Amino acid sequence: MMLRAALRRRTKYTLVIVSIAVGVLACLWVMRFLWLLTMGNELIILPSRSRIPDLPSGAAIVAEDMGCGSGGCWREITVAPAAGQSPEDLAQEMNLSEEQHQSPTLFDPGFVYVWAHPRDGQLVLGIGYQ
């Protein structure tokens, strides 16, 4: 009987600690999301490169830049396709033939759009917050 009571007490304490930890993480995530919404017009905020699909073998990043306009700022990455591959084929292989809209992630709580355009034999990838 005492063993059950001790086990219940330990379980209760564990649940309380886990609940507090999850609550703190959720609050931090919401605070980051709100910061992106409120500060986005005053600061240059760029999405992480991790939101762009992985490059296939043979393709290489040749330049990385940033652009800003009335809709905010975005990251631009210029990629040279593998030998014998066209920029259009590279975009299709990366599943970027059409603009993608991505939902928030745990570490990047913003809606992101990713696009790709061929330019001068290379593929220019863009990523920005919506």
Side-chain angles (χ1 to χ4, degrees), residues 21-54:
V22 168
V24 167
L25 288 174
C27 286
L28 290 173
W29 188 84
V30 167
M31 286 173 46
R32 168 126 165 91
F33 181 73
L34 292 174
W35 181 78
L36 284 175
L37 288 177
T38 59
M39 301 299 285
N41 295 330
E42 298 173 17
L43 299 174
I44 296 174
I45 298 176
L46 297 172
S48 169
R49 282 180 62 195
S50 66
R51 301 293 291 270
I52 293 178
D54 293 330

Side-chain angles (χ1 to χ4, degrees), residues 9-10 34 36 43 54 63 66 83 94-95 114:
R9 209 173 313 131
R10 183 182 298 162
L34 292 174
L36 284 175
L43 299 174
D54 293 330
M66 174 187 85
M94 293 178 69
N95 197 22
V114 182

